[in-house]
């Protein structure tokens, strides 16, 4: 399994009571495909630097999850089919590694 990060913009026209159900529509297929969700940030309304599909504001969220790489094309197709997503970015994140302590080496002595 690889670690992925999905950042997405939701339409600003969605109602306050719909926000959680729309987030669940994004989370649900990830879990159904065997993905493990690591973190999910809350939706935050942002002013966009430039209009996206004629919207100057959007709700932004990021989802971090583990999934088999073979399932990613199917997930991308599903995300593209959702009409309320203005734009998304799916990246592979490096796996967290344990920090190895730096070994101090003795200085080289000149002969």
């Amino acid at each position: 399994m690889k670690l992925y990060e999905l950042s997405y913009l939701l339409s600003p026209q969605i109602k306050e009571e719909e926000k959680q159900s729309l987030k669940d529509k994004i989370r649900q297929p990830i879990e159904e495909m065997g993905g493990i969700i690591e973190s999910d940030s809350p939706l935050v309304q942002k002013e966009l630097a430039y209009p996206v599909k004629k919207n100057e504001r959007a709700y932004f969220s990021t989802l971090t999850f583990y999934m088999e790489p073979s399932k990613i094309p199917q997930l991308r197709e599903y995300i593209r089919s959702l009409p309320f997503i203005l734009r998304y970015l799916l990246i592979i994140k490096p796996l967290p590694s344990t920090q190895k302590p730096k070994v101090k080496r003795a200085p080289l002595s000149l002969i």
Side-chain angles (χ1 to χ4, degrees):
M1 290 186 130
K2 289 189 176 184
L3 180 61
Y4 294 92
E5 182 178 87
L6 173 65
S7 298
Y8 56 92
L9 296 173
L10 294 182
S11 171
Q13 283 82 27
I14 62 173
K15 296 178 182 164
E16 193 68 31
E17 57 272 4
E18 293 177 320
K19 289 192 320 187
Q20 187 58 43
S21 67
L22 294 178
K23 281 186 74 164
D24 291 341
K25 283 185 179 182
I26 296 168
R27 289 176 61 110
Q28 183 182 7
I30 293 171
E31 292 170 339
E32 287 175 358
M33 290 182 216
I36 301 167
I37 295 177
E38 183 178 76
S39 67
D40 188 3
S41 67
L43 281 172
V44 178
Q45 192 166 33
K46 299 270 188 179
E47 185 79 28
L48 301 176
Y50 55 89
V52 176
K53 294 187 180 177
K54 299 183 182 180
N55 292 288
E56 295 183 9
R57 298 184 71 77
Y59 289 102
F60 175 78
S61 185
T62 300
L63 183 66
T64 307
F65 60 95
Y66 290 93
M67 183 178 269
E68 290 296 329
S70 62
K71 304 282 185 175
I72 294 300
Q74 184 180 355
L75 178 64
R76 282 185 189 272
E77 186 177 321
Y78 174 76
I79 292 171
R80 283 189 195 116
S81 72
L82 297 174
F84 52 86
I85 291 190
L86 300 176
R87 188 160 293 166
Y88 76 95
L89 175 67
L90 181 62
I91 62 169
I92 300 172
K93 289 187 75 172
L95 289 174
S97 62
T98 56
Q99 292 284 333
K100 293 181 182 178
K102 291 185 178 180
V103 178
K104 290 190 176 184
R105 297 178 185 229
L108 295 175
S109 59
L110 297 174
I111 298 179

